[in-house]
Amino acid sequence: MFFLAFNSLFFFILAKMLFMRISLLALFFCNFISAQTQYPKDYFRPPLDIPMQLSGNFGELRPNHFHAGFDLKTNQREGLNVYAIADGYVSRIKISTFGNGKCLYITHPNGYTSVYGHLQTTIGPIQEYVEKTHYAEKSFEIEVFLKPDELPVTKGQLIALSGNTGSSEGPHLHFEIRDSKTEFVINPMFFGYDQNINDSKKPTISSVYVYPVGENTVVNQSKQPLLLNLSLQKDGTYLAEKIKANGKIGFGINAVDFDDVSNNRNGVFNVTGFLNGDPKYNYQFNTYSFDEMRYINAFIDYPRYKKTGQRVQKLFMKTPFALSIIKTDSLHGVIPVEPNLASTYRIEVSDYFGNLNSVTVPIEYDSETPIVNAEPITSKYFIHANKDSNFEKDNMSVFFPAGTFYDDFNLNFDVKNNMIYIHDDVIPVHSNFTITIKDSIYPENLRDKLFIGRISGNSKSYNATTRNGDVFTAKSKTLGQFGLVLDTIAPVIKITKAIQDKWITDTKAIQFTIGDSLSGIKSYNGYINGDWVLFEYDNKTRKITHKFEDARLAEGANDLKIEVIDNVGNSAIFETHFFRSQQK
């Protein structure tokens, strides 16, 4: 009877464990299948008519965001033809001095929207609409949303020339595909563009880190994260040094991908962590929303990134966060190391084309005392990430709403020498916190020239500041040192080539350099003979450029005026007088 009862219990436990494992595998499998929505493969054409080469791929890790599309090479130059990838209509035009610069959005009848960024200029009826809007709004920076019948386009229609506008670091075309209803960005590979790219190379795993999760965890006699030694195996995979640990641990990797035609370090597509063959943590760069972008700072080892520039992708969550590309088990990828149980952790990294690389990490329990202790905690303040927190001293305070941070941590806070010290920027911030400073130093007549600045050495960066009497308030997403900064210095305007009292009939454009050393430029405007004219601003060179149009010029004498205003109201004016003939 005992034997039968024991067998029944044994098989019950075994069946339960098998069911749990199958359920977990099914969960991951279902998540993977759901990511493989059937997208149209032959509906869209390429946006350029040169061979497709990537300088950046979908999901690539960028400052404060995941890359939302492809960066397509344009032979290191501007002015290449950009085409509509399918029939549709221009649904949005956004021209900014930062971000995607000059950018077009085309909505297609199949439910998707294509995006074309960093353009040099738009073409034809689109450019006519853009110029008309510039002058109607008297602004270089514009954003307009259009109806389906206003600017229709056809597949293969020339819509723009490629450029280097906005925050681009070199000539290229930024290209996205979005779901028109949800605005989720989608990996363009899903739409058949994988047929335009050759990639037979496995991703490169350059490093693996192990993290103690919890105050009492010890890994290889250390309470601090460790870089593991890797050995290349005959089959091309890697074996990591053995981990001896107690408590809870997590892993992180540094991995990139290369294709067959460029040397660019692209992001990887899929990463899965397995414990004894069971999937524990997975992410795949298929689709996500712009609301999720900033979670990259929880996705990576942010302190290491700020100190070294290295983006280590974590395979666990100390505190869960809502990034939809991540699929995980109930422990969120954290691995408990328990006595009398040896384990194997395997990390698989693959690109969109199925090229795969892996690392195996042996794990065993060890109760040895640490040689390397955790970094000492000197702060007397503590942040609960899911609760509001307010800290105040003298005439300054900081308020953190719940959800400002990803994890709980010990905060360094102080007020001294008329500055508020709010930890440092090795802790990632997800949403705005509020700084308040009551002024008792400056006279009333100067208070309109004050702003709350983030101060790092001799550098002072502007934060949009509101004033109520002697109380100043600003919001920030970066920790550090803040104080009131006085700005009474007007912006600077310099003409590139003097035209005073000169005939410039054959001159096609005029250019100025503008700048402000403290609060930064808020606005600039140019006028010819008293009428507003368009000057385009390039934030990389700090230059504004006006392309002369005879229709806006007088025969003979013309007056030109430039006015620049900074963020606290200081202004500068440049005026000149030139001659131009319409008889050419």
Side-chain angles (χ1 to χ4, degrees), residues 87-105:
D87 292 353
Y89 69 96
V90 178
S91 54
R92 182 183 177 192
I93 301 169
K94 184 175 183 180
I95 295 180
S96 172
T97 57
F98 295 94
N100 284 332
K102 295 182 180 181
C103 190
L104 281 182
Y105 301 72

Side-chain angles (χ1 to χ4, degrees), residues 438-451 465-472 484-488 568:
K438 185 174 183 180
D439 172 53
S440 61
I441 298 174
Y442 294 95
E444 178 63 26
N445 65 312
L446 289 179
R447 284 179 174 157
D448 282 340
K449 303 299 183 183
L450 292 170
F451 67 91
T465 303
T466 58
R467 175 191 166 203
N468 185 5
D470 59 356
V471 178
F472 296 80
L484 287 176
V485 179
L486 177 65
D487 181 5
T488 59
V568 295

Side-chain angles (χ1 to χ4, degrees), residues 150-166:
E150 292 187 87
L151 282 176
V153 297
T154 58
K155 186 174 184 176
Q157 178 179 327
L158 179 62
I159 56 172
L161 300 180
S162 67
N164 187 28
T165 56

Side-chain angles (χ1 to χ4, degrees), residues 21 28 114 148 183 207 260 272 299 317 328 431 463 469 481 489:
R21 180 170 182 176
F28 273 80
S114 53
E183 281 288 303
S207 55
D260 294 346
T272 306
F299 178 82
M317 299 180 187
T328 184
S431 54
N463 288 275
Q481 176 180 318
I489 302 172

Side-chain angles (χ1 to χ4, degrees), residues 270-297:
N270 189 294
V271 178
T272 306
F274 299 86
L275 182 66
N276 299 326
D278 291 337
K280 295 293 181 181
Y281 198 89
N282 167 267
Y283 51 87
Q284 179 172 290
F285 288 101
N286 42 53
T287 178
Y288 40 81
S289 73
F290 284 94
D291 291 340
E292 299 177 80
M293 290 292 195
R294 199 169 176 88
Y295 281 122
I296 187 175
N297 294 331

Side-chain angles (χ1 to χ4, degrees), residues 131-430:
E131 186 168 347
K132 183 178 178 180
T133 304
H134 283 310
Y135 278 88
E137 298 188 7
K138 291 183 169 58
S139 175
F140 171 58
E141 294 195 77
I142 59 173
E143 184 174 18
V144 290
F145 296 86
L146 293 86
K147 297 177 182 178
D149 59 348
E150 292 187 87
L151 282 176
V153 297
T154 58
K155 186 174 184 176
Q157 178 179 327
L158 179 62
I159 56 172
L161 300 180
S162 67
N164 187 28
T165 56
S167 298
S168 171
E169 295 180 356
H172 72 276
L173 176 67
H174 175 79
F175 173 66
E176 298 175 20
I177 297 181
R178 304 182 183 182
D179 183 296
S180 298
K181 289 183 179 179
T182 66
E183 281 288 303
F184 274 53
V185 289
I186 305 165
N187 193 330
M189 289 291 193
F190 290 135
F191 294 88
Y193 290 114
D194 55 321
Q195 300 300 313
N196 301 90
I197 297 170
N198 296 319
D199 183 357
S200 61
K201 296 180 179 179
K202 296 189 298 184
T204 299
I205 304 171
S206 58
S207 55
V208 176
Y209 288 82
V210 59
Y211 292 81
V213 182
E215 295 180 3
N216 298 319
T217 299
V218 179
V219 181
N220 291 357
Q221 295 187 285
S222 174
K223 286 193 170 185
Q224 295 187 25
L226 292 175
L227 173 65
L228 299 178
N229 293 319
L230 303 179
S231 299
L232 181 63
Q233 304 300 291
K234 290 182 179 180
D235 61 358
T237 64
Y238 288 90
L239 176 66
E241 64 177 294
K242 181 182 288 187
I243 288 176
K244 296 182 178 180
N246 59 72
K248 297 177 180 179
I249 63 173
F251 291 93
I253 62 168
N254 195 341
V256 295
D257 188 42
F258 298 89
D259 59 36
D260 294 346
V261 295
S262 71
N263 294 320
N264 292 89
R265 298 162 62 90
N266 295 321
V268 299
F269 175 64
N270 189 294
V271 178
T272 306
F274 299 86
L275 182 66
N276 299 326
D278 291 337
K280 295 293 181 181
Y281 198 89
N282 167 267
Y283 51 87
Q284 179 172 290
F285 288 101
N286 42 53
T287 178
Y288 40 81
S289 73
F290 284 94
D291 291 340
E292 299 177 80
M293 290 292 195
R294 199 169 176 88
Y295 281 122
I296 187 175
N297 294 331
F299 178 82
I300 64 172
D301 181 346
Y302 189 82
R304 185 176 300 277
Y305 164 63
K306 295 301 292 185
K307 293 173 184 176
T308 69
Q310 183 186 47
R311 293 186 177 97
V312 175
Q313 305 163 46
K314 295 188 296 185
L315 303 181
F316 68 98
M317 299 180 187
K318 185 177 179 181
T319 305
F321 53 92
L323 179 57
S324 62
I325 64 171
I326 295 175
K327 313 302 177 187
T328 184
D329 66 355
S330 60
L331 297 179
H332 309 292
V334 174
I335 308 299
V337 182
E338 300 171 346
N340 304 318
L341 183 63
S343 301
T344 299
Y345 191 82
R346 187 176 80 258
I347 304 166
E348 292 187 353
V349 182
S350 60
D351 60 23
Y352 181 86
F353 300 89
N355 303 306
L356 184 144
N357 209 339
S358 68
V359 177
T360 300
V361 187
I363 306 170
E364 68 177 40
Y365 180 84
D366 184 273
S367 59
E368 291 186 16
T369 56
I371 297 175
V372 180
N373 288 308
E375 293 184 4
I377 296 173
T378 58
S379 171
K380 60 182 178 181
Y381 303 100
F382 189 76
I383 292 286
H384 293 278
N386 63 349
K387 294 181 180 179
D388 292 350
S389 299
N390 190 76
F391 301 94
E392 184 175 355
K393 183 179 178 182
D394 299 336
N395 62 327
M396 302 187 186
S397 66
V398 59
F399 172 68
F400 301 110
T404 301
F405 302 102
Y406 303 109
D407 297 314
D408 300 345
F409 71 101
N410 292 87
L411 174 78
N412 292 315
F413 168 80
D414 202 358
V415 173
K416 56 185 178 182
N417 302 323
N418 297 316
M419 287 185 286
I420 182 169
Y421 294 79
I422 313 171
H423 211 82
D424 57 51
D425 65 353
V426 298
I427 298 294
V429 178
H430 187 70

